[in-house]
């Protein structure tokens, strides 16, 4: 299974990708997580990306395309993958097609998680993750069962992203509409695009997604 999860910042891509990777035995590839790891490591790429990310803009296609090419070569991608946050521009989508074609592979399905801009600001402003295992939470919409304790690993330290603030959200949404939404017709033309209502609650979105993906597994 080779899936692309598309949608604006805060749509629920990461939340759903984590659930789907457990269910289907494929890996989540989050380019945002990969870039944040480069920033933390203080690598060359990280140094170039940090300010761009904090301003809510997109990191250059060149960097992202090289990063993704290296990632999908790795053995853990053989059973399949879920791309979360890539492609985000038309040149990235074209490079991905070329990359996969050269390996005689192709994307099976592209799912757009549709969420209104108004709901995204609250999702992003309330987002946090477990420092130890990366499990995602929300101040209102996805609280741990025991306050302050990660459901998955029992960790008690949590982190918030530097770009998850109300000031940067506007720039990130503008980047989505101007640079990422134009890739939807690219996949619609290939007959691969499906829509899921991302305004529904987290479990309901998972039910809709798995109904779509089960058709791929059964095929
Ligand atoms: P993305 O990866 O698309 O940026 P996330 O999966 O990180 O989005 O979700 C953003 C925030 O919104 C997280 O704090 C998450 O817990 C919460 N969230 C995700 N899906 C939903 C949903 N369907 N309803 C309400 N909150 C959600
Ligand atoms: P979100 O969860 O809000 O959708 P991500 O974690 O996917 O955000 O990405 C965070 C930031 O990393 C983006 O705002 C952008 O600066 C950078 N980034 C991630 N993926 C890409 C990409 N494919 N192309 C360009 N920049 C990217
Ligand atoms: Zn944890």
């Amino acid at each position: 299974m080779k899936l692309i999860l598309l949608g604006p910042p805060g749509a629920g891509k990461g939340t759903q990708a984590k659930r789907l990777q457990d269910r289907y035995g494929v890996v989540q590839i989050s380019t945002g997580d990969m870039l944040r790891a480069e920033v933390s490591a203080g690598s060359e790429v990280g140094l170039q990306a940090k300010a761009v990310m904090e301003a809510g803009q997109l990191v250059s296609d060149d960097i992202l395309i090289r990063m993704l090419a290296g990632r999908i070569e790795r053995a853990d991608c053989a059973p399949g993958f879920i791309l979360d946050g890539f492609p985000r521009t038309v040149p990235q989508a074209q490079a991905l097609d070329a990359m996969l074609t050269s390996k005689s592979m192709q994307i099976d399905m592209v799912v757009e998680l549709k969420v209104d801009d108004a709901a995204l600001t609250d999702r992003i402003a309330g987002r946090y993750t477990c420092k130890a295992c990366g499990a995602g939470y929300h101040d209102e919409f996805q609280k741990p069962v025991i306050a302050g304790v990660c459901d998955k690993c029992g960790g008690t330290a949590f982190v918030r992203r530097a770009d998850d603030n109300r000031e940067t959200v506007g720039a990130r949404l503008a980047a989505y509409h101007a640079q990422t939404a134009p890739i939807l017709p690219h996949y619609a033309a290939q007959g691969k695009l499906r829509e899921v209502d991302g305004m529904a609650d987290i479990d309901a979105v998972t039910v809709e997604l798995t109904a779509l993906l089960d058709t791929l597994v059964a095929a």
Side-chain angles (χ1 to χ4, degrees), residues 34-201:
M34 291 168 75
L35 286 167
R36 282 184 287 279
E38 297 284 346
V39 171
S40 306
S43 70
E44 185 75 26
V45 165
L47 292 174
Q48 287 182 47
K50 187 170 189 282
V52 178
M53 292 170 76
E54 283 177 4
Q57 288 157 3
L58 296 184
V59 177
S60 81
D61 286 338
D62 197 47
I63 290 180
L64 266 294
I65 290 167
R66 262 186 290 138
M67 187 179 261
L68 192 85
R71 183 66 189 87
I72 61 175
E73 303 258 282
R74 303 227 315 249
D76 62 342
C77 291
F81 48 77
I82 301 170
L83 295 179
D84 159 12
F86 186 98
R88 246 179 164 100
T89 63
V90 171
Q92 289 181 19
Q94 289 165 339
L96 176 64
D97 282 356
M99 226 183 271
L100 293 176
T101 303
S102 76
K103 299 176 198 298
S104 306
M105 301 195 297
Q106 57 167 343
I107 292 297
D108 300 305
M109 194 182 278
V110 179
V111 180
E112 180 193 6
L113 280 180
K114 289 183 82 89
V115 178
D116 302 343
D117 281 7
L120 295 170
T121 308
D122 287 337
R123 287 201 189 174
I124 289 172
R127 166 162 62 188
Y128 65 97
T129 53
C130 170
K131 192 171 180 193
C133 77
Y137 294 98
H138 190 279
D139 292 328
E140 262 180 80
F141 310 135
Q142 198 184 6
K143 299 178 182 173
V145 176
I146 301 166
V149 181
C150 175
D151 297 343
K152 297 263 156 56
C153 78
T156 54
F158 296 89
V159 288
R160 288 180 194 261
R161 283 167 45 178
D163 58 341
D164 275 353
N165 53 72
R166 290 180 188 273
E167 292 70 48
T168 310
V169 172
R172 288 163 65 194
L173 289 177
Y176 179 78
H177 292 297
Q179 291 168 272
T180 306
I183 70 183
L184 295 168
H186 176 88
Y187 291 111
Q190 297 180 8
K192 292 181 178 162
L193 185 65
R194 302 288 180 274
E195 271 180 19
V196 163
D197 175 16
M199 295 292 287
D201 68 42

